[in-house]
Amino acid sequence: LRHTASHVLAEAVKRLYPEAKLAIGPSIDTGYYYDFEHAPFSNEDLETIEKEMKKIIKEGAKIERFELPRAEAIALMEEKGEPYKVELINDLPEDSVISFYRQGEFVDLCAGPHLMSTKGVKAFKLISSSGAYWRGNENNKMLTRIYGTAYSKKDELKAHMEHLEDIKKRDHNKLGREMELFTTVDVIGQGLPLLMPKGAAMVQTMQRWIEDEEERRGYMRTKTPLMAKKDLYVISDHWGHYKEGMFILGEDDEDEEGNSISGNDIFALRPMTCPFQYYVYKASQKSYRDLPCRYGETSTLFRNEDSGEMHGLTRVRQFTISEGHLIVRPDQMVEEFKNCIALAQYCLQTLGLEEDVTYHLSKWDPENREKYIGEPEVWNETEQDIRNVLNELNIPFVEDIGEAAFYGPKVDINAKNVYGKEDTMITIQWDALLAEQFDMYYIDENGEKKRPYIIHRTSIGCYERTLAWLIEKYAGKFPTWLCPEQVRVLPISDKYVEYADKVAAELKKNGIDVTVDSRSEKIGYKIREARLDKLPYMLVVGQQEEADETVSVRSRFAGDEGVKPLDEFIEQICKEIRTKEIRKVEVEENK
């Protein structure tokens, strides 16, 4: 159905814009798209194309499949002036069956399958238009992509369009800006978001929580430089395997063997903290009794992401991460790896995100040896070790070939954003190789030098990406403990501002983030604004509340919670914050 709809779309575009060149038009999970070499399409253009698609569907042309030999297939597409189709045919294996589908006068290269006729497309909608590089390669021409969807019933399409509207409301790139959590500025640069006071407060709350939790679990904090000489990354092999993803400071003139000939020290902003923490470990000799050494750091990192990959807070060039490295004896590795998974699961559960993730065993690709260090035996053994851990913990997982770090396999904990794109949120890596690179050792019980193993891990991952995830998960209605503004006190008139300030002062003494709306506005207006700001609690105060030292509590969880003594409310909310409770909504909000 959706594949047929994409061909109807392509035919409509060719009818309206004969100069447009056809690229590809597959069906996808939620619909379909088609790429064209053409100027960008406006919303008005999409409406025009939709009308033409309806005409094509009404005509009800029969859809027929036929095959051609390679030479004839190329000749047909050249005759129709479709260079992208010619390229696709040329790239097919020699023994490929080259098939086409015809609907009326329109013919397209396609493997199928399709419906019997265009009349089968009952309910469809064009959704958006954007740019897309040919074959996803930024070195190729930028094409124009039209997204659409199709369903067999109109009510299914209606439900999907309502879902898309909800997605737009949850999109962190839109909602996060509206809530003044973050912003971006062209003159500062792409992928360099500014966290505004509310967003910074949320990240600070998470950071304090994570640092305290890690220290409770035996982590020692480090603070290391944001940059280092090229020499460090040469030792770690990041220079050979990750250089294109780094920001390099200074000219790096090299000879044919890769040696610097500029005569100046070359520095690079750090893309990860591991090499720095290795030297913290190496600063003093360690015995087997000193291990495991668990180092944690709130690390600001820099990665030179492609400009086409930048998006809000999820894909940025500077970010802060809850990074850690554990240097352990080989006999401690399995238990410590399990503990790292347990910490990640605790963080996900506390944030209410544990049901939204999938686990991946990211493996090396033996067909791409240049991408990795180490011997196949080491890779096979360590991958099996991780497989055993996940099975023992009864964690469902999928295996991804070619997604390992260059020095070891890993567990990636992934989640999808509101548009269905999957990103890695938390990573736990098994490293049996880099200790050799850095000559790291410990003295065993026999007085002999032994190589440790290393676990590279995050507990909550990248704070910016986690904030984006939380915005979309909760549509901005965060758990109370995370909210940058937890309570707003609303005096019903100017006469009760003094009491409102007194209430706020008591809340602040108990560590509660509170503001007072002292504007000379009607109380209904103040309540509506507080609701739009997605606040957990509003405390309305007037003559009776002042006389009784009470507050009238309204929440987004239960609506009107009635009048309570101030001490009772403070005890209630402090417990909610302390336990990081995620209160469920008990009543529907008034529209």
Side-chain angles (χ1 to χ4, degrees), residues 143-155:
L143 305 178
T144 298
R145 175 172 295 178
I146 296 178
Y147 284 98
T149 193
Y151 286 86
S152 56
K153 297 179 181 178
K154 289 185 178 180
D155 58 347

Side-chain angles (χ1 to χ4, degrees), residues 393-507:
L393 296 174
N394 295 316
I395 296 175
F397 65 97
V398 296
E399 300 192 11
D400 299 329
I401 295 176
E403 294 299 318
F406 70 84
Y407 48 80
K410 56 180 176 169
V411 172
D412 284 326
I413 303 177
N414 294 358
K416 291 181 179 180
N417 67 12
V418 289
Y419 295 104
K421 184 180 182 299
E422 190 169 69
D423 285 306
T424 297
M425 310 306 296
I426 295 173
T427 293
I428 305 165
Q429 300 174 349
W430 186 301
D431 176 8
L433 296 170
L434 285 183
E436 182 78 27
Q437 306 268 112
F438 283 88
D439 191 26
M440 299 166 66
Y441 65 89
Y442 64 93
I443 305 299
D444 72 4
E445 58 268 35
N446 298 317
E448 296 178 359
K449 290 183 178 181
K450 292 292 178 65
R451 296 291 182 207
Y453 281 1
I454 302 167
I455 300 174
H456 310 241
R457 48 99 282 183
T458 59
S459 47
I460 196 177
C462 165
Y463 285 101
E464 289 83 355
R465 186 174 289 180
T466 300
L467 178 57
W469 192 9
L470 289 167
I471 293 170
E472 296 185 351
K473 165 75 175 183
Y474 293 106
K477 298 175 182 177
F478 308 110
T480 302
W481 73 275
L482 274 175
C483 285
E485 184 183 358
Q486 295 161 332
V487 178
R488 188 176 296 173
V489 186
L490 310 178
I492 62 174
S493 72
D494 292 346
K495 291 189 291 184
Y496 307 107
V497 169
E498 184 177 344
Y499 178 62
D501 288 338
K502 179 182 176 183
V503 168
E506 284 299 310
L507 293 169

Side-chain angles (χ1 to χ4, degrees), residues 207-217 221:
Q207 180 181 326
R208 287 172 173 169
W209 162 54
I210 291 298
E211 289 180 351
D212 288 346
E213 183 61 30
E214 288 179 345
E215 289 177 16
R216 193 180 69 79
R217 296 180 185 229
R221 306 226 61 80

Side-chain angles (χ1 to χ4, degrees), residues 324-571:
H325 297 90
L326 294 80
I327 295 87
V328 306
R329 301 193 311 264
D331 64 288
Q332 298 170 325
M333 188 66 169
V334 169
E335 190 62 29
E336 290 296 322
F337 202 86
K338 290 179 184 176
N339 290 341
C340 290
I341 293 176
L343 174 57
Q345 291 178 323
Y346 162 76
C347 293
L348 291 170
Q349 184 179 18
T350 303
L351 292 170
L353 303 171
E354 71 275 15
E355 296 179 358
D356 303 330
V357 300
T358 56
Y359 289 77
H360 298 248
L361 168 51
S362 296
K363 308 188 297 185
W364 80 317
D365 181 0
E367 301 298 320
N368 188 7
R369 289 299 308 276
E370 292 185 359
K371 183 180 175 182
Y372 307 95
I373 62 175
E375 298 303 317
E377 296 77 13
V378 176
W379 283 92
N380 294 336
E381 180 182 339
T382 53
E383 286 175 3
Q384 186 58 47
D385 287 330
I386 294 179
R387 195 176 289 113
N388 292 341
V389 167
L390 293 172
N391 286 328
E392 185 180 337
L393 296 174
N394 295 316
I395 296 175
F397 65 97
V398 296
E399 300 192 11
D400 299 329
I401 295 176
E403 294 299 318
F406 70 84
Y407 48 80
K410 56 180 176 169
V411 172
D412 284 326
I413 303 177
N414 294 358
K416 291 181 179 180
N417 67 12
V418 289
Y419 295 104
K421 184 180 182 299
E422 190 169 69
D423 285 306
T424 297
M425 310 306 296
I426 295 173
T427 293
I428 305 165
Q429 300 174 349
W430 186 301
D431 176 8
L433 296 170
L434 285 183
E436 182 78 27
Q437 306 268 112
F438 283 88
D439 191 26
M440 299 166 66
Y441 65 89
Y442 64 93
I443 305 299
D444 72 4
E445 58 268 35
N446 298 317
E448 296 178 359
K449 290 183 178 181
K450 292 292 178 65
R451 296 291 182 207
Y453 281 1
I454 302 167
I455 300 174
H456 310 241
R457 48 99 282 183
T458 59
S459 47
I460 196 177
C462 165
Y463 285 101
E464 289 83 355
R465 186 174 289 180
T466 300
L467 178 57
W469 192 9
L470 289 167
I471 293 170
E472 296 185 351
K473 165 75 175 183
Y474 293 106
K477 298 175 182 177
F478 308 110
T480 302
W481 73 275
L482 274 175
C483 285
E485 184 183 358
Q486 295 161 332
V487 178
R488 188 176 296 173
V489 186
L490 310 178
I492 62 174
S493 72
D494 292 346
K495 291 189 291 184
Y496 307 107
V497 169
E498 184 177 344
Y499 178 62
D501 288 338
K502 179 182 176 183
V503 168
E506 284 299 310
L507 293 169
K508 286 178 182 177
K509 280 199 304 187
N510 285 274
I512 299 162
D513 291 316
V514 57
T515 59
V516 175
D517 187 346
S518 57
R519 295 173 300 168
S520 298
E521 299 283 356
K522 292 183 178 179
I523 191 64
Y525 178 82
K526 292 181 181 182
I527 291 172
R528 283 193 299 275
E529 279 217 336
R531 184 180 291 127
L532 289 173
D533 288 342
K534 308 181 191 301
L535 297 182
Y537 292 99
M538 297 166 266
L539 303 182
V540 179
V541 295
Q543 181 179 6
Q544 195 63 50
E545 287 81 11
E546 182 177 30
D548 300 339
E549 294 191 344
T550 58
V551 289
S552 181
V553 181
R554 298 181 67 91
S555 74
R556 58 168 152 82
F557 314 107
D560 187 350
E561 295 191 14
V563 176
K564 298 181 181 181
L566 178 57
D567 289 348
E568 180 182 324
F569 173 75
I570 290 175
E571 182 180 354

Side-chain angles (χ1 to χ4, degrees), residues 21-303:
K21 305 298 180 188
L22 302 177
I24 59 172
S27 60
I28 54 178
D29 285 348
T30 57
Y32 57 90
Y33 68 80
Y34 213 111
D35 290 346
F36 306 91
E37 183 184 315
H38 190 272
F41 295 105
S42 66
N43 289 334
E44 290 75 18
D45 293 333
L46 295 186
E47 291 176 5
T48 303
I49 295 169
E50 269 193 7
K51 290 178 182 177
E52 192 65 31
M53 290 176 69
K54 289 177 181 177
K55 291 181 185 177
I56 294 169
I57 292 167
K58 189 175 182 180
E59 291 166 9
K62 184 179 178 181
I63 300 175
E64 301 174 301
R65 184 181 190 273
F66 64 93
E67 300 172 5
L68 290 176
R70 183 180 297 268
E72 293 181 32
I74 291 173
L76 175 62
M77 290 295 98
E78 286 179 339
E79 178 186 342
K80 291 184 173 294
E82 301 293 355
Y84 297 100
K85 302 295 184 180
V86 172
E87 182 179 330
L88 290 171
I89 294 170
N90 281 325
D91 287 348
L92 289 172
E94 287 297 323
D95 59 350
S96 295
V97 174
I98 302 174
S99 60
F100 295 83
Y101 281 81
R102 177 188 290 116
Q103 55 195 49
E105 297 178 354
F106 179 75
V107 175
D108 200 356
L109 172 73
C110 186
H114 287 275
L115 302 178
M116 299 298 290
S117 79
T118 59
K119 276 193 174 179
V121 182
K122 302 293 185 183
F124 77 94
K125 182 71 178 174
L126 297 186
I127 294 170
S128 64
S129 177
S130 64
Y133 291 111
W134 169 233
R135 292 187 153 180
N137 187 332
E138 65 176 358
N139 296 317
N140 291 338
K141 189 175 182 67
M142 175 68 80
L143 305 178
T144 298
R145 175 172 295 178
I146 296 178
Y147 284 98
T149 193
Y151 286 86
S152 56
K153 297 179 181 178
K154 289 185 178 180
D155 58 347
E156 293 176 337
L157 175 63
K158 180 182 177 183
H160 179 71
M161 297 309 296
E162 290 173 351
H163 173 64
L164 291 183
E165 285 302 311
D166 180 60
I167 283 174
K168 289 178 184 178
K169 294 175 184 177
R170 289 176 179 270
D171 182 353
H172 87 274
N173 208 17
K174 177 177 183 292
L175 183 55
R177 296 170 194 271
E178 291 174 352
M179 295 183 68
E180 297 184 350
L181 298 175
F182 78 96
T183 189
T184 53
V185 182
D186 287 343
V187 295
I188 291 175
Q190 194 177 18
L192 299 171
L194 304 174
L195 290 183
M196 301 175 75
K198 292 179 181 179
M202 290 185 67
V203 168
Q204 184 182 55
T205 297
M206 287 190 285
Q207 180 181 326
R208 287 172 173 169
W209 162 54
I210 291 298
E211 289 180 351
D212 288 346
E213 183 61 30
E214 288 179 345
E215 289 177 16
R216 193 180 69 79
R217 296 180 185 229
Y219 283 79
M220 300 174 285
R221 306 226 61 80
T222 65
K223 186 171 178 62
T224 56
L226 300 181
M227 68 179 78
K229 290 165 60 174
K230 166 187 172 181
D231 309 48
L232 178 70
Y233 305 114
V234 169
I235 295 171
S236 68
D237 260 345
H238 285 100
W239 199 259
H241 291 85
Y242 202 79
K243 180 181 176 182
E244 297 304 314
M246 297 166 65
F247 289 103
I248 298 169
L249 310 178
E251 295 295 326
D252 185 33
D253 297 323
E254 297 179 341
D255 60 23
E256 294 181 357
E257 297 179 354
N259 299 312
S260 179
I261 58 175
S262 64
N264 298 318
D265 286 335
I266 303 301
F267 286 81
L269 297 177
R270 64 178 181 185
M272 66 287 296
T273 310
C274 44
F276 298 87
Q277 290 191 329
Y278 298 162
Y279 282 98
V280 173
Y281 175 85
K282 284 166 60 70
S284 61
Q285 183 169 285
K286 303 294 191 298
S287 99
Y288 69 98
R289 291 190 179 91
D290 297 318
L291 272 56
C293 280
R294 305 183 189 99
Y295 296 120
E297 182 165 338
T298 303
S299 306
T300 298
L301 305 179
F302 306 85
R303 296 186 183 174

